Amino acid sequence: MIKIIRDFLNGVAFGITETVPGVSGGTIAIVFGFYAELIETVNHFTEDYRKYLKFVIPFIIGAAAGLITFSSIINYLLTNFSFPTMAFFIGLVVGIIPHIYSKVKEPGRWFTAKETALIALPMLVLVIVSHLKPATVTDPAAVISGITLAYMIFLFFSGMIAAAALVMPGVSGSFMLLLIGVYHIATYSVSSIRHLLLDMTNIALMTGIAKVLVPLGLGIIVGGLLMTRLIEKLLQNHYKTTYSIILGLLIGSVYALFRDPIVYQSGLTALIIVAGIVTFLLGSVISFNLGKTKL
């Protein structure tokens, strides 16, 4: 019973983490001591599912509880205090960069030409993509009410990419969704579940939520099963190459996140800017200290 409660609470922590762009679920799993069990479960579930269900069931229930509860809070903060909220997220990304940098840069030598290219290329891609994104904030409610089959397929592959971040130290699944451009739609849909539970006759809301979360969830499941082993092998056999790419993604993402229109949607005042500086520093400190954990 004690282990069931612990697995449930670990799931809650993991679920909350996955709503926050910049906080790696893998890092949180290590901090709470269930990273090895989580990765083993993902990689070997089909070999002995009865054994792993004892961990999976309470963990998933806890993760769902944390995700649904905290998504509502995040959605509220992004709507009413977007600049300090996003500044906190960006600070979380900045705080992990020194740790990823230390995994690529060896003391006493410069980056090789290959490492420099591997860092610069994904960084450049993110900068370019950030300029191609729309300059206006899309209303999540309007998006989910008019979702097409093509967008559902896009959500499926977005889920696969987000799942790949599970074992990428320093990169979170929600952060990848933010870069792809579906984070706000996903958090809005998850936070809307509580409204659906109060009125199960709202078929339009139920359909809208399902059109987002079903393909996204399936993508996460498929991505978790396929990508986890791939990334583990990359980290084992191409350590510096993988971390060089991750470093480039993180640096480029700071620029991309500052350009995201959601950052400025609730307006800017002198007080809001000061609050944003404070939350940015707070996020950086938290992320930096979490990143000290050996991955």
Side-chain angles (χ1 to χ4, degrees):
M1 177 60 75
I2 294 178
K3 187 178 186 308
I4 291 176
I5 295 174
R6 186 174 67 246
D7 291 339
F8 171 80
L9 294 176
N10 286 339
V12 171
F14 191 84
I16 290 174
T17 298
E18 289 308 304
T19 67
V20 182
V23 182
S24 169
T27 300
I28 293 298
I30 292 171
V31 171
F32 282 83
F34 63 92
Y35 182 79
E37 186 175 14
L38 180 63
I39 297 303
E40 180 185 347
T41 300
V42 173
N43 284 341
H44 304 288
F45 181 79
T46 56
E47 297 172 10
D48 188 359
Y49 71 91
R50 292 182 181 178
K51 170 187 174 182
Y52 295 112
L53 277 177
K54 295 178 182 178
F55 167 76
V56 168
I57 292 176
F59 181 82
I60 288 181
I61 293 174
L67 192 65
I68 293 171
T69 302
F70 211 69
S71 287
S72 299
I73 298 173
I74 293 295
N75 192 56
Y76 172 82
L77 291 174
L78 287 174
T79 301
N80 298 282
F81 308 99
S82 61
F83 185 76
T85 302
M86 289 300 296
F88 177 76
F89 293 161
I90 296 169
L92 291 172
V93 177
V94 171
I96 204 69
I97 288 176
H99 299 294
I100 304 300
Y101 174 85
S102 67
K103 293 179 181 297
V104 180
K105 176 70 165 61
E106 294 180 4
R109 73 164 180 84
W110 295 99
F111 287 120
T112 65
K114 177 183 176 181
E115 290 166 352
T116 302
L118 289 171
I119 294 169
L121 184 58
M123 184 170 61
L124 181 61
V125 168
L126 285 183
V127 170
I128 293 173
V129 169
S130 71
H131 283 271
L132 297 176
K133 292 175 67 176
T136 56
V137 179
T138 303
D139 179 13
V143 172
I144 68 170
S145 64
I147 285 179
T148 62
L149 177 60
Y151 194 79
M152 291 174 67
I153 295 173
F154 172 68
L155 286 171
F156 173 81
F157 285 105
S158 298
M160 289 188 65
I161 295 172
L166 177 66
V167 293
M168 272 192 182
V171 183
S172 72
S174 53
F175 173 64
M176 296 304 293
L177 292 179
L178 185 61
L179 289 181
I180 296 167
V182 301
Y183 173 76
H184 312 307
I185 308 303
T187 55
Y188 178 83
S189 299
V190 173
S191 65
S192 297
I193 292 176
R194 63 189 180 92
H195 298 296
L196 181 62
L197 292 176
L198 296 175
D199 182 14
M200 295 298 291
T201 62
N202 192 336
I203 303 301
L205 179 60
M206 182 185 299
T207 302
I209 292 173
K211 285 182 177 180
V212 173
L213 298 186
V214 170
L216 189 63
L218 288 174
I220 291 172
I221 292 172
V222 173
L225 295 174
L226 297 179
M227 299 288 191
T228 303
R229 291 188 180 184
L230 172 62
I231 294 173
E232 271 193 317
K233 289 181 179 178
L234 288 174
L235 289 172
Q236 290 170 1
N237 303 318
H238 305 281
Y239 181 84
K240 286 192 177 296
T241 297
T242 305
Y243 274 111
S244 295
I245 295 172
I246 293 173
L247 180 59
L249 287 171
L250 289 176
I251 296 173
S253 68
V254 173
Y255 179 86
L257 287 173
F258 267 119
R259 278 192 53 82
D260 196 309
I262 195 70
V263 175
Y264 312 101
Q265 70 168 352
S266 63
L268 287 178
T269 64
L271 182 60
I272 289 294
I273 292 173
V274 171
I277 294 172
V278 172
T279 56
F280 173 83
L281 294 174
L282 178 63
S284 299
V285 170
I286 291 174
S287 184
F288 181 79
N289 283 286
L290 285 176
K292 289 180 181 179
T293 306
K294 298 299 181 183
L295 300 170

